[in-house]
Structures are given as C-alpha cells and as structure tokens.
Amino acid sequence: MRLPFQKRVATFEHGIHPEYHKETGNLPIRRFPFAPKLYVPLSQHIGKPAIAIVTVGQEVLRGEVIARADGMFSLPIHAPATGVVEAISPIPCDTGEMEMAIVIRVYEADGQEVRVRNPHNLDGLNGVELAIVMQEIGVAGKGGAVFPTHAKLIPPNGCVIDTLIVNGSECEPFLTCDHRIMVERAQQIMAGIGYAMRVCGAPRAIIGVEDNKLDAVAALEAALPADGTVTIKVVETKYPQGAAETLTHALLGREVPVGKRSSSIGVVMNNVMTLAYVGRLLPLGEGMTERVVTVAGPAVARPGNYIVPLGTPLRFLLDYVGAKSSASEVILGGPMMGNAIASLDIPVTKGVCGVLAFGKREVAVPHTYPCIHCGECVNACPKKLNPTQMGLLAAKREYDLMADKFFLSECFECGCCSYVCPSHIPLVQQFRVAKSFLKDRKNSA
Amino acid sequence: MNNDTIANILLTTILPGNFVLAMFLGMCPFLGVSQKLSTAVPMGIATAFVILVASVSAYFLNMLLVHFHLEFLSVITFITVIACAVQLVEMFVKKTFPELFRQLGIYLPLITTNCAVLGVALFQTARNYNFAQSLAYSIGGGIGFTLALILMAGLRERMQLSNVPTLVQGAAISVILGGLLSLSFMGFSGIGGGE
Amino acid sequence: MSAPSNFDEFLDGIWKQNPIFVMVLGMCPTLAVTVSAVNAISMGLATTFVLGASCLLVSLLRHSIPKQVRIASYIVIIATFVTVVDYAIQAISLDLYEALGAYIKLIVANCILLGRAEAHAAKNPPMPAMLNAIGMGFGFTLGLFAIGCVREILGAGKLFDISLFGPHFQPWVVMVLPPGGFFVLAGWLIVFAAFDHYKTKRTLGVQA
Amino acid sequence: MGTVYSVLVTGVFMACLGSMLAFFLAIASKRLYVYEDPRIDLVEELLPHSNCGACGTAGCRNFAEKTVTGEIEPASCTVNTAEQNKHIAALLGVAMGNVEKRVARLACAGGHHVAKMRAHYGGLSSCRAASVAGGGGKSCSWGCLGLGDCADVCDFDAIVMDKQGLPVVDLAKCTACGDCVDICPKNLFSIQGVTKKLWMACRNEDEPDAAEATCEVACTACGRCVVDGAPGLIRLEKNLAVIDYEKNALAQRAAIERCPTGAIVWLDNECITKGKSAKKIIRTEPLPVIA
Amino acid sequence: MSQIELRAAPHQHSGSNVPTIMRNVVYSMLPICAFSVWQYGLSAALLILVVTISCLAAERINSTISGTADTLSDWSAVITGVLLALTLPPSFPLWMGVVAGFTAIWLGKSLFGGLGQNPFNPALIGRAFVQAAFPTAISTWVPAFTPNRFVECIPTTLTAPFMSPPDIVHWIKLQGMDAFTGATPMARWKFENVSASTMDFLTGQVTASAGETSAILILVCGLYLAFKKYLDWRIPVSVMGSAMLVAAAFHLVQPDRYPAPTFVLLSGGLMLGAWFMATDMATSPITPRGVWLYGALIGIVTVMIRYFGGLTEGVMYAILIANAAAPLLDQFNQPRILGETRGKS
Amino acid sequence: MSDAPEVKTPSFAMVRTLGLVSVICGIIIVGVYQVTLPAADANRKLALERQVFKVLPTAKSVVTYYATEKGIVAAAGLDQPPAGAVIFYAVYDAAKKLAGIAAEASSAGYADQVRVLYAYDTEKQAITGIGVISMRETPGIGDKILTDQDFLKNFESLDVHLSADLQSLANAVKTVKHGTKSGAWQIDAISGATVTSKAVGRGINESTQILLPRLLPHLEKLRSPS
Ligand SMILES: Cc1cc2nc3c(=O)[nH]c(=O)nc-3n(C[C@H](O)[C@H](O)[C@H](O)COP(=O)(O)O)c2cc1C
Ligand SMILES: Cc1cc2nc3c(=O)[nH]c(=O)nc-3n(C[C@H](O)[C@H](O)[C@H](O)COP(=O)(O)O)c2cc1C
Ligand SMILES: Cc1cc2nc3c(=O)[nH]c(=O)nc-3n(C[C@H](O)[C@H](O)[C@H](O)COP(=O)(O)O)c2cc1C
Ligand SMILES: Cc1cc2nc3c(=O)[nH]c(=O)nc-3n(C[C@H](O)[C@H](O)[C@H](O)CO)c2cc1C
Ligand code: SF4
Ligand code: SF4
Ligand code: SF4
Ligand code: SF4
Ligand code: FES
C-alpha cells in the first residue's frame, strides 16, 4: 500500500514483492566456452519448427544456416559453432518431450569466429521488407514467449501501432541479463529500437525500466536518440511488472481487451535484449548463434551473466559454473515462471534467459493445507482473476467451469497466487493442468 | 386478532417466520432443488408466483365457501385449484417459453406438492386475513421461500467444492446446512412482531 | 426381474426405500411435528391411513382417469382422506389436534402421497398398491418416531411424557426448535449412511 | 342447517368446481398443446441416467430422442444392462443392434520396475500436473506417469493402479465412456473393441537402443512380429510396430511369440499374455532415479 | 548430481503458512483472555481452558475417526475454542461449555470437511447452538470484579453435567454487589433505556461476555493482526462503519428512542465480532466488493436485530447470516478482470 | 419409423371424470364432517370448560356470549356471531350464581401469538386468574408464564376497573420490568422472558379495553340468566 504523500511511480494493481536476489546485476557479461558437442533443436521458437538442410557428417561454419524457416511464422537456425554434424536425432527438451535437434561436434582447435554473414543494404527498405530481412537473422523474443520477432512487429491487418514498448523491467528474481544488456549495450538497443519502429510503424517508443535498475536507466539515457521519439519511464519494482499487460497498463494506462492481442490497442512490445540483438545482428546480416544467459541460484558457485552458444547442454554449463554436483533442481528461466527440467541433456536455446540451480534444502516440499479462503491470491493476481475459486474448481476437475466463468485462459501463469498462498496450494500448476486438458480435448475433438 | 399491518406481515414472513426455516413448509423443494443457483432462482420465482396465485384464489374461494357454509371443504377445494393452476402454468410455460421449460420441466409439477403453497392458503384463512393482508402474506412467503432457496443454493454450490466426508455427503449435508441456516434465522425472531 | 411379492412391496417402504431416510421426502411434517414421540407417531399413522386409502382408490380408478386430469384427480382423492383424518382427530383429541397444527391438513401436499399415487398406485393393481403404500406409511412413521424420540429425550428430558432424568435435568431447548429438527434428521441420515457403508464394506470383504 | 341441505350443496359445489377445472384444463391442453413423442420419456426412463456420453450423444435424453427417431440403436448405450436395452428395443419395435463391447486399452507396459526415471517429481500428485512440470521425470517421454489421473476420473471405478504404478482396467466395469482417454496427458488410452486381441503395449518412438535403455519392455522395432504375423498385419513405423486392425481377422497369437521385450501382447479375456521369448522380469521394486 | 527434483513453478514462496497465521491470531487474543480473567477470575480462566480443550479434543477425535492426518497442528481449533469461550458469559456452566466446544468443531467444521471448508463460523455455530439450547444459562450475567474472584468460582460454573445451573441471584447479593442489575448494558438500554458511559466501555467496566469487555484492548489486538496482514482490514471497517451509519441515522431521527452510535459500536460483541469473527477467512467473501458488502450486511443486520428484534444482541446472528450470504456475495461480485469489458460487447 | 402414437385430448372424459371424482369426494367429506361434528364440538366445549374451570375454580357451568357495541347476546341461538362481536363466557358456580367472566386475550409474543384466558371478577373489577390457551414460546423461557409463581401472583388481583365515564380502563394494564411494579394495574414481568410477559399484558389490556365497557352496563342480564 502506498501512502498518499509518497511519490507515485508508474505501476499496476496487485502483484507481489518477492526477494530479488539480483546480485549478478553488478557483474559484467562474460563469455562462455564451447561445449564439445552442441545440441541445436529445430524448434527454438513458437511457430513451425525449422527444416534441417544439413546432413549427418557435413561440416558447418559458425553462422551458416543449418535449418531454414518453414514459412512466415518460423525462423532459420544458424550453426552456433564451426564443426561437423554428428547426428540429427530427438533429444529431450524442457517440456519433457523429445524434439529433433542437430548435433554438432565442435572443432576444438577452431577460433570460432562468425564465418558466414549475409549483410543487406537496409536503407530504403519499407517495413515489411525490413521484417523479411530480419527473419534471416533468426531472432525470437527473449522475454519468454520466443515469438519470432519479425512476425510480431508487422502490424496485423487494420491495426495501427502508435507505441513500441520496450520491456526492460526484468521483474523475475535472480535474472539480470536484461539489466546487464541495458548497462553494457545501450547503443545497440537504440539501434534495435530504430529498426523495430520502422517495421511496426510506431512513431514513438517507451522503454519501461523498474526502479531497482537506475544504472541501466542512466546508461540508456546517455544513448537516447536526439529526435525524442524514444523515452524512458521508470516503473515500480514489483512482480510481474514485465508482463505485457501489466507494463502496458503501467506505462499507458491501457488494458488489452480479453481475448485480444496488444496490437488491438496500438501497442507492440519487445524485450530489451531482443532489440539489442536486432540492433547488433541486423546490420551485419549475422545469424543468432549465442545469447546472454543469467546463471545463478544458491547452488551455483560462480554465478553471472554469460554469453552462451546456443545448443550448449546444461550438464556442461552447470559443470563449468561449479553447480552440477550440488544442484538438486535446475530451472530454465526465472524462479516464478521458469520450468524445472528433468534432464541435464537439455540444451540452452534462444528462449533461455536464465539457468537457476537450487540445492536440496531449497526444494523441500512444504505441507499443503486446504484452501482457507484467505483471499491472498485474489489480492495478488495482477490480472484480477479469482484464483481461489479456480483452484477449488480445479481440484474437482471442473475445468470447463473455470474456462467459462472464471477466465482461465486469461491467466498468464505469473505465479503470484501460488507465491502468496499460505496453504501452499499449487494454484498455477493446477491452472496449467486445466489449460492443457482443455487444449488437448479441443485438439482431439 | 387480525390487526397485523401489511409491513409487519411482510417482514415476519420473510425473516423470523420464514416458511422454510421457521415453519417447515416447502422443505422438499428446499432440499431437492437447491443444488445449483441456476435452477434455484427460477424455481424460487416460479413457486413465489404460484403461492401468489394460490393465495388469491384461496381468498375468493374461501369467500364462496363461507357463503355456502362449506368451510369443511377448504382443503380439498384449495388443493384442487392449486393443482389445476400449476398444471395450467406448466402448459403455458411449455408453450411460450420452451427453453425455460426444459430447465424447470421436472420441478414444475413438484410445486403442487409444495406445502408452502397450500400452507399459505390454509394459514391466511385460519388467521382471517383480509385481502391486502393475504396478499402481503403470500408475497412475503414467496420472497422468504426464494430467499431461503437462494441462500441454500449458494451454500451448496460452495459445498460441492469442499471435501465433505463421504458419510455426510448428499442429503445429510443439505439438512445440516438447512439447520444452520435456520439457527441463523433465529436471530431475527421478534422482528416484525412485538412492539 | 421377477415380480416382487406383496410382502416385499410392504417391506420396501419400511427399509430399502424408506421415505425419510432414503428418499428424503415428506420433509415438512418430518421436521415440524416431531417435537415429541407421541406427535410423531400420530402424524405417521395419519399419513399411513391417507396413503393406504388413497392409493387403494387411485389404483381402483387407474383405468378410468384420463392422463390430463390425472394429477387433479389424485389430489382430490388424497385431499378427501386428509379431510377425513382431520375431522377424525378433532373428534378424538383436541390436544393432539392442536399439537399437530396445520400439518394434518398439509398431509395433502406431502410429496410422498402424490409420488406414490403416480409412481406406484397408478400402475399397479389394488392389493400391491395398498400394501406398498402402507409399507411406505410405516416407514414414514418409523422415521418420524426415531426423530421424535431424540428430540423429546434431549429437548424435554422425557419420553412419551415420562420424565427420564429427574427434575433437575437441563432440557436442550434447541432440540424442540426448528434447527433441532434439522440436526436430528441429519444425525439419523448419517447413522443410516454409516450403517450402509459398514454393510457394503462387509459384503465386499466377504467377496474378496 | 340440515344435513341433507349440506350434502346437496356440497355435491353441487364440488360438481361445479370439478367440471369447471376439468373444462379449463381441457381447453388449455388443446390450446397449449405441444407435441412431444411420449416414447422419449419412456425410453429415457429405461436409460441409466449417467449422462456419460459414451454413446456419442449429448446425454441420456438426447440418446432417447435419437433412438426414438431411429438414428441410433439401443445397444449403443454401453452403460445400460443388456436387459434394459432389450426393453427399449421392444418398446420401440426396433432391432436391438449389435454393438461390440468396447473398452479402454492402455498402450504402455512400463511400470516403475522396468521403466527408468531420470528425475524425481515432487509436486501435485497428478499425471497431467507432472507432465506440465517438466514432463514428470520418466525417462521414456511417451510412457505412463503412474500418478493415476485415469483411475481418478473414471466414474465407474473401472481403473485401479497396480503395484507397479500402471492402471489396470476392469473390463466388466468399463463402459467405454472415454474419460480416461481425455484425461491422460500421454494419450495412452484409447477405446478399442474387445475383439482386438493383438495389442501393442508401447508408444516409445526413440531409436531402438535409446528406447531399450529407458524401459526394459519398450518396443525395439526388431521386426520379428512383422515377420511372424500375417502379411500386412503389422508394419514398422517410427521405431514402433503398428498393427493394422483392418486385418484384425488375421491376427494370431504367433505374432507375439518371438518379441524379445514383450512389447506386443495378446489380450485374452481379462489377462495379458506375453510371448515365449519375452524377457522374464522378476523385479518388482521401483528402479532408482538416475539423472 | 544425486537426483534431479522436479517442482512446479513458482519455485519461490512468500514463506507465509497457515499455522503461523493461526498462531498469531491466538497470540493476539491472549491479552483479551488475560483481561477477562482479571475481571472475572477463576471462572473465566476455567471456561476459556475447558472450552479450548474440548475443541481440541473434538478435532482430535474427528481426525482419528476419519483417519485423516492430525489437524491439531494448524492451530485453528485453538482459535475456535478461545473465541467461543470469549463469547460466553463467564458464569456459563463448564459442561455446557464442553457441549459448545464439541458442537463448534463437529457441527461447525468437521462435517464440512475441516479447515477452510466450513461455510459458517464454527465458534459462532457453537455459541448459537448453546444459546438456543440453554437460553437461560447464556443470558445469566454476573458482575465483574467480585472480591473473591480469584479464589472461588461462580457457583454456576461447576454445575453437574446435564443438570440445570442453580439460581445465582442470592450469590450475587452475597458478593455485596447490590447495585448490580444482572443485565448487560444492551439489555438495560433495550428494556430500561439506560445507556452506559463510553468510558466504561472503552476500559471494560461493564457486564458482558468474557471477551466483550474492553473495546480499546480488542481494537489494539485487532489492529496488530491487521497490521501483520493476518486479517482483512476492510471487514472490521465496513462492519463498524455501516453499524455506525445506520445507528447515527436512527439517532438523528429519534434521539430519545435510539442510542448514540458510539453506544452501538462499543456495546455488546460488535468489536470482538468485527475484528475477530467477521474476519474469519473461511467464512467471509474474497472478492473486493463482496468483502465490503459482507461487512455492511453484518453492520446493518446487527443494528436491525438490536433495535427491532426480540434479542438484545445481534452480532452473532448477523455474522452467521452474512456467512450464509457470503458465497452469493462472491458469486455476484466477481471482480472485473484486467481488460474485461462488461455490458459492451 | 416415426409412427408415433397420436395423442388426443378427451375433453368430455376429463370433465366427466374430474367432476365425478369431486362429487364423490365431496360427499365423503360431508359425511365424515357431519358424523364427527358432534364429537368435535363436544371436545371443544370440554376443552373450553377445562380452561375456564382452571381460572375460575368455583365454576360449574359456562354460557357463551357475544358482546357488541349495542349490548350482549347469548351465543346459543345464533348461527354466526354478529359483526364486530367479542366472545366471552359467563361462568356460574354450583349455586347458579355468576362466578365471573372469562375471556380470551391474545397478542404477539416472542415466537407467535400468545393466547390466554383470563378470569374477570365482576365484584372486585379485577382479573383473578389466567390460563394459557396456546402459545409457541420458547420452552424454558417463554413458558415460564405458566409456572413462574411470582408472575402468576400478578393475576391474583389485577386491577382493571373502568374510569368514571365507563369508556376505558382507569389505568391501562401495563407490563413493567421485573421488580418495578408499583400499582395494582401493573404486571411484574418475568426477568429473562420480558417479551412474553409483555405479550400477556398487552393482550389483556387490549381485550379488557374493548370488552369491559361493553359488558359492565349489562351485568344484570348475566347475573340472572334466563
Ligand atoms: C508474468 C510475466 C512476466 C514477464 N516478465 C517479463 C520481464 O520481466 N521482462 C520481459 O522482457 N518480458 C517479460 N515478460 C514477457 C512479456 O510479456 C512480453 O512477452 C515480452 O516483453 C515481449 O518481448 P519479446 O517478444 O521481445 O520477448 C513477462 C511475461 C509474463 C507473462
Ligand atoms: C546484444 C549483444 C551485443 C553485442 N555486441 C557486441 C559488439 O558490438 N561488439 C563485440 O565485439 N561484441 C559484442 N557482443 C559480444 C560478442 O558476442 C562477443 O562477446 C564479442 O565478439 C567479444 O568477443 P571476444 O571476447 O572474442 O572479443 C555482443 C553481445 C550481445 C549479447
Ligand atoms: C433462543 C431464544 C429464545 C428465547 N425465547 C424467549 C421467549 O420465548 N420469551 C421471552 O420472553 N424471551 C425469550 N428470549 C429472550 C429474549 O431474547 C430476551 O432476552 C428477554 O426476553 C429479555 O428479558 P430480560 O430483559 O428480562 O432479560 C429468548 C432468547 C433466545 C436466545
Ligand atoms: C483473522 C482470523 C479470524 C478468525 N476467526 C475465527 C472465528 O471467529 N471462529 C473460528 O472458529 N475460527 C476463526 N478463525 C480460525 C479459522 O479460520 C477457523 O478455524 C476456520 O473457520 C476453520 O475452517 C480465524 C482465523 C483468522 C485468521
Ligand atoms: S498465475 Fe494466473 S491466476 Fe495466478 S496470479 Fe498469475 S495471472 Fe493470476
Ligand atoms: S491464497 Fe491459497 S488459501 Fe488463500 S484463498 Fe488463495 S488458494 Fe486459498
Ligand atoms: S495412463 Fe495416463 S492418466 Fe493413467 S496413470 Fe498413466 S499417465 Fe496417468
Ligand atoms: S474412464 Fe476409461 S476405464 Fe473408466 S469407464 Fe470410461 S473408458 Fe472405461
Ligand atoms: S412435505 Fe414435501 S414440501 Fe412439504
């Protein structure tokens, strides 16, 4: 609760204030070595998987396209290292399913410079043309949804985009990669914003940064373009400030209508790191072969932000930061929304912004009590849903009722409700179960 | 003896003298048709309507009976008229609002055997209510019945989401809820009566 | 499905299809007049009489009543016998009449009656129809009596008006108030459920 | 007021009242008449009222309407006893219909004594919950998670979880309602006719070696059943043997005899039989979790 | 790496849990208990102890019968017991207290499935039951601060089980308290039109239930809980606010007939009810508007019962009735979710 | 396949059946009514006498009267009471002397109407006893009006004499809080059952206020019954 005389920082209603553990935010980004073998899944984005265009035994150069995009809502995959294709076979992925991947044995002796680039002359291209060029560099959203960025930027028919929101909130605890990018690569972010504005046609861009990253704000301010089309707005440090709906609400006071996309209210949102990569890679015509990943957590001996080649298996990554033997639970992403994984053979992909390792003690299962109707979850839900009722319904498998009467599909799984529940009821998990059931049933019908 | 004011009658029949919770009238639909709000509300309204119809017809019928000195026929004539009225309402709804009928179909005939309907007719006669008082009595009774039904439905919908022990599930838990509701309504005793 | 014997018909209502504990019907008198065992039994017997007589008549007339006036005719028949009982009780004892209050007249609206008339008597020959009805009536009486006993014992410290616990017993007034009726009924329902549960567990145990 | 007077007045009064009401009702039932086939009610009364939808209609009432119009055969209601369905057929004067009994079949045999785990799942005890939380930790990503959602949803208590954490369907109780099919996150259940006796109890599409490494009873796509079965009955697809039930009539027990892992089985009445060469597994305790 | 553990997101938690909340509520009630023991001595102490123990016993027996895990450790039964005891008159016979305790837990809670599943406030169900069962005993009041209160019990306290309590008028006279009228301030107002002073209420110098005495103490303890976010501050605010408003309206129209709003606020169980019982989470709504309406309903019904009903005190029944309406209040006041457009298509 | 049976509305059969059933049932009822009427009447009379004898122990016989604005009439010959009449009972002792008047008072109590029968002594112009006809008050509280000796003492001689103009009571009967009775026309309430006590008082007040002014001018008629 904010007292009346306190200065108001732009924010949204409800939400939570978890412990942030953002110690790695002060460490500069460092480079990560190449694992002996890289496992590059063909599907690292939302949309159709890429189609492999290499064969087993073929030698590939770093930056070379090894799988091509399958249509507009797909992205090409570039070789993350120079080496030889050892296999194209299923490997485990974070959902627990198996996915096709190209396995590259990395040439140890190679310097691993990017060997293949395909630069275009970007001047004079209109928005759609620029988007097509953008597809070639294979950038997917780094904010979590891994939607192909070029496709996201093109305004849907009949929509006029008036604002590009650049999401620099990074509200998840532990994660600091966006923070470091803003501090270290402000210039490239600005370049990326420029390209993105050209594609989506927005006359202005607003960068939203939480007030616990004021050094990032300073760095960005120094790099702002002179024409004033880009502004920075500080928002309250609160989870989930970075979610599209809440940030849009905090910055513009607009609400995305239920069941619609944010483009319907003239807004398109990109993550800062997404735009940093666009700004860096697009002029060079270089493919995405690596990304900055926060590696942290109580079980990690050398936490930090690392530039990790895509396809690096977690086993190798955790070994290197001194975590493998002490880790009990490994999470891809932040602690609030990230998924725990069942296998260390899973590789780092374009959507992995953080790898967190927790020790035995931190993953103890608390006793679950029945819901005591305390309403904490209702007061925490940033979407103002009714998690109490949905949780009770889910326990009785009343999934249809949840969807019909309680806006199940609007839940963006931020986890605030589970976080505050004194009964330790796994609310979000139940909502995900409900959604997955309804989706499966719809697909099979 | 029958100098109760309209407001008093209304208040008494809705709260402290609630047909269901204090007078035990209309228990069967109260326990039977209260699983869901979506059926409880139309059922309550339909019953309230029939109660009103029954009360008005009973009032005039009673005038006739008194005129002919046939008071001993009151039960049989009231109930027959009620039964026919319900059947007419049922046919009417079936013809004009088939959708509503599909939802309520099974419950409509039940109203005939709802003690509250006959109860209103008999009690208003026994208390020598005049027309306005009878009207207030039946309207209050209908509202009270609907109120109890709706409260009960809300509680039972909630019960469906809790882990009621198997032994208590079903009728027992509804009866207990009814008891607790009735216990709560005891707090209203005295309202509308007394000074 | 072999045709049930008349005796089975009779037993059905007392136990397997007990109108109070199994079918949960006729709740108004069940709750309203069971403040004492005597009231309960009188009400039960009155209902039994009406049930038996009207089911017999309905069964006799079952072929000559058109479907459209079915309900109206049944209810007229039931109302007749209710009125008969009403006056009979007035003639027998005014005290009892006062105690049972309007609920005697309300037997007409007791769902058990119309339910039995429609579901059983209208489809069966007179003999089984009446036996079934009387069985139901006894089942109903039994249920009322069970409830009435508990309410009278706790609520007044008496049974059949005989003091059980001495003059200083503190009566549990709630038992004779409306909520007490609900609670005692619920108690019996739980006892029935527990008994059922125990029985099915036993039979399952024997099978295994 | 004399008795005679009283009786007379009563008689006249009741006669008037009775006939007047009947008259109203008669008018009303003419004016407000809505035709509805009375047999629908009769049929509905004979149905089990479980509204399970196993017959493919939207509940029992709908089924009754469809049987009356002849769109569906009485026997399609698998929950009802045959006797009741016979009553319905007799009532409507139609053929009972001959519908093969169908039951839910599980396409996995990997209990926790033969299938390896790579992680220990410690959340909400439900298969689908496990599957949305990183897949549940079973090494075979196709296999049964063993947390019993199917047993939980079956309204007919037809599924129990056995000691190895696999669901077992009680064929007598199963009504083919399909709830277990819907709930299983791994899509392991399907509704099948009881005459389909040759059955593939594995879904693992991994490379043969990988598959056998994750689960001792996985199909290794060795092809022996393809050779031993009738021509065209069984084929290999995605590292699995696939049975073509169009040719079900040709199915013979011989097809399973040489299966080395026992992934393909013969279902006879209540019991599942494996081939003679299938490896014998005597272990019953769970395998340890290995990352 | 020994074994990978799989857990569902979120992997972080606020750290709050049910027993901690419940334990804190118990702590916050201890000063109120202490005050009532100071006022009424041994009898109050015994009553609180016996009722709480019988609640715990009922809970224990229930978990044994139903074969569920032991549920004593969540502390909620302690709250029920203490609150129930605080709403009873200090002279209440102990055996009736035991009946109240068992009813509270069994009828009020266990039958619905235990913690959090009960639609009505268990403590109040316990009290409503004994109020209906033993109406005389529960409306028998004794004066506070009798000289021997720490060495002897009020005679009714130790009534033999199932027996009627003795008449205590004589005993009260013996205590040298002849000015005592044997009635609560509210009864005195209702039947004699005598209003007690505000100061007496604030400091607890009035005859009442064990825990309905010092308004200030209750306020402080309640505020502590509200500050720690263990209770929803909106509920007491709307209960007290609506009661005050309605009372003020009546007072303005007929000042000689209806007492001042402060009297309504401070007398009887309103404070205890508003802060500790209306706020019971299991039985109150959760949606924002639902919560406000719930509080308002309690306030209004309380005043209505007090002014027009046959009873002197209506807080308990008002809360129970609002409990009954809580599911409906929730249903019809679902919050507007972010981005939802109502009415407009 | 759709050879569904056609349903017709047999109007005449409906009218005939329901009419016939109604008549038969009506006759049955009339029969029973006529048969039981004497017994029921006798019962009612007996009950009334029992009550009256309780409040007026010397009573031996009871005559029912109606009091109207115009005067009093015996109920015996009348089919139905005259409009606005109040019923009361003249009670005679063994010597056929007027022992007192009994009348009913009723008012809303805690749960429902409390109906009491009170005995009025024409000599003393006071109420000399009450008995409860019916009530649904809470057992243990409200029903103390039957048993509480202190309360019953109020009615050993409750002053109800009329004012000089004979139009109303000199002092309205009033129930007062326990222990504060100060006049012979006041009723000392039962502590803890004030609501019911007040109902009794209010009922008596209402009844006497109407009945006594109508009754007193015609006392002579009662003293010498025809
Ligand atoms: C609960 C929640 C929290 C989120 N937090 C962040 C965040 O902190 N930073 C961020 O860039 N995106 C966050 N996102 C993703 C944004 O909603 C949005 O998808 C993203 O900023 C779009 O940019 P992208 O397409 O470049 O990834 C979050 C999403 C959700 C649902
Ligand atoms: C968004 C982003 C922008 C980057 N921009 C540059 C850049 O402008 N120049 C550069 O040398 N490295 C940049 N890097 C880092 C390179 O991938 C790499 O660290 C760099 O080539 C230094 O490598 P070195 O240690 O081999 O010199 C960037 C990384 C990211 C994530
Ligand atoms: C369940 C219950 C039943 C009651 N029944 C009666 C009753 O029948 N008659 C009555 O006068 N008071 C009854 N009361 C008590 C009244 O509410 C009120 O307290 C009393 O009449 C006031 O009397 P006092 O001022 O002497 O204390 C009952 C109280 C409760 C809780
Ligand atoms: C603020 C607060 C108030 C509570 N009030 C009550 C109460 O009035 N009565 C009660 O039985 N339990 C109360 N409880 C405890 C708990 O919610 C109660 O036992 C549940 O109703 C049991 O499901 C309270 C708990 C809290 C946190
Ligand atoms: S996970 Fe869903 S329901 Fe829970 S707080 Fe977030 S948006 Fe609301
Ligand atoms: S936070 Fe947990 S206990 Fe509280 S209402 Fe929500 S689900 Fe229930
Ligand atoms: S078959 Fe499916 S639902 Fe059943 S236990 Fe296995 S995984 Fe769970
Ligand atoms: S849930 Fe599955 S096993 Fe159970 S009856 Fe339905 S189909 Fe059969
Ligand atoms: S007996 Fe069924 S409604 Fe009254």
Side-chain angles (χ1 to χ4, degrees), chain A residues 90 92 94-98 315 339-340 342-343 365 397 399 426 429-430 432-433 436-437 440-441, chain D residues 118-119 121-122 124 128-135 137 141-142 149 152-153 182-183 185-186 206:
Chain A
D94 59 348
T95 59
E97 307 291 319
M98 304 294 269
R315 200 181 292 279
N339 238 339
S343 162
V365 188
R397 297 193 193 278
Y399 301 136
Q429 196 184 9
Q430 284 179 330
R432 294 177 64 187
V433 166
S436 122
F437 174 81
D440 275 7
R441 204 184 51 186
Chain D
R118 57 190 180 200
Y121 168 72
L124 190 62
R128 202 169 268 275
S131 89
V132 297
S141 61
W142 285 271
D149 279 6
D152 191 30
V153 292
D182 282 345
I183 201 75
K186 297 291 182 185
D206 277 347

Side-chain angles (χ1 to χ4, degrees), chain C residues 105-121:
Chain C
K105 293 200 177 93
L106 288 177
I107 294 180
V108 183
N110 188 327
C111 339
I112 302 174
L113 285 139
L114 197 60
R116 276 296 101 186
E118 255 210 277
H120 198 272

Side-chain angles (χ1 to χ4, degrees), chain A residues 36-166:
Chain A
K37 275 189 200 169
L38 297 179
Y39 300 80
V40 191
L42 293 177
S43 175
Q44 303 189 29
H45 50 264
I46 296 266
K48 282 191 174 169
I51 299 168
I53 55 171
V54 289
T55 49
V56 177
Q58 181 181 340
E59 186 171 83
V60 292
L61 299 177
R62 184 169 182 207
E64 179 184 339
V65 176
I66 52 174
R68 65 175 168 80
D70 182 9
M72 192 59 187
F73 293 97
S74 179
L75 287 174
I77 308 270
H78 303 81
T82 302
V84 62
V85 176
E86 201 178 72
I88 303 177
S89 66
I91 59 158
C93 76
D94 59 348
T95 59
E97 307 291 319
M98 304 294 269
E99 297 256 4
M100 278 315 233
I102 299 173
V103 185
I104 297 175
R105 183 153 43 76
V106 177
Y107 286 161
E108 270 171 50
D110 193 271
Q112 298 297 2
E113 264 102 65
V114 176
R115 299 289 183 79
V116 181
R117 293 194 173 89
N118 184 18
H120 290 263
N121 182 5
L122 302 176
D123 301 329
L125 295 186
N126 68 18
V128 177
E129 289 159 351
L130 194 60
I132 290 167
V133 179
M134 200 184 277
Q135 184 179 18
E136 285 179 15
I137 62 173
V139 176
K142 305 262 175 287
V146 276
F147 199 77
T149 302
H150 68 280
K152 180 174 182 176
L153 284 170
I154 302 172
N157 278 345
C159 285
V160 177
I161 304 297
D162 61 30
T163 314
L164 169 73
I165 295 182
V166 183

Side-chain angles (χ1 to χ4, degrees), chain C residues 57 61 64-69 72-73 76-77 79-81 83-85 87-95 97-98 155 171 173 176-178, chain F residues 7-10 13-18 21-22 24-26 28-29 32-33 36-37 39-40 43-45 47 50 115 133-134 136 138-140:
Chain C
L57 201 57
L61 293 176
S64 43
I65 297 177
K67 182 165 163 269
Q68 288 83 348
V69 288
S73 314
V76 166
I77 293 173
T80 308
F81 290 110
T83 315
V84 168
V85 171
Y87 284 107
I89 291 189
Q90 268 185 54
I92 295 167
S93 156
L94 208 60
D95 284 342
Y97 183 72
E98 291 264 313
V173 179
V176 294
L177 296 177
Chain F
V7 187
K8 283 207 305 278
T9 312
M14 285 168 68
V15 174
R16 185 192 56 201
T17 319
L18 194 54
V21 170
S22 305
I24 297 174
C25 290
I28 295 180
I29 292 178
V32 173
Y33 175 67
T36 56
L37 195 56
N43 259 336
R44 219 167 278 137
K45 187 142 180 283
R50 238 185 7 234
R115 292 170 59 202
I133 299 174
S134 78
R136 290 183 48 194
T138 318

Side-chain angles (χ1 to χ4, degrees), chain B residues 13-14 18-21 25-49 51 104 107 110-111 114 116 140-158 174 177-178 181-182 185, chain C residues 182, chain E residues 324-325 327-328 332:
Chain B
T13 42
I14 296 176
N18 188 291
F19 275 16
V20 181
L21 299 172
L25 293 176
M27 290 310 302
C28 301
F30 175 68
L31 295 174
V33 199
S34 57
Q35 291 100 330
K36 279 191 299 176
L37 259 180
S38 52
T39 46
V41 176
M43 180 68 180
I45 294 172
T47 310
F49 176 72
I51 288 181
L104 278 182
Y107 307 123
L110 269 184
I111 298 179
N114 184 334
I143 295 177
F145 180 80
T146 313
L147 178 72
L149 204 62
I150 292 178
L151 284 177
M152 185 71 169
L155 289 170
R156 284 183 71 178
E157 280 193 359
R158 189 183 153 170
S174 326
L177 281 175
L181 258 183
S182 155
F185 265 61
Chain C
F182 283 103
Chain E
L328 295 178
F332 294 116

Side-chain angles (χ1 to χ4, degrees), chain D residues 103-104 150 153-156 158-159 169 173-181 189 191:
Chain D
V103 293
C150 44
V153 292
C154 179
D155 286 334
F156 303 91
I159 300 184
V169 179
K173 287 186 186 163
C174 175
T175 62
C177 71
D179 283 353
C180 52
V181 178
F189 269 111
I191 302 294

Side-chain angles (χ1 to χ4, degrees), chain A residues 240 377 380-387 390 408 410-418 427-428 431 435:
Chain A
C377 50
C381 178
K383 291 283 275 182
K384 305 199 182 160
L385 304 178
N386 189 340
M390 286 205 291
L408 172 66
E410 284 297 300
C411 165
F412 53 35
E413 300 171 17
C414 65
C416 292
C417 45
S418 296
L427 293 164
V428 200
F431 304 158
K435 285 180 177 177

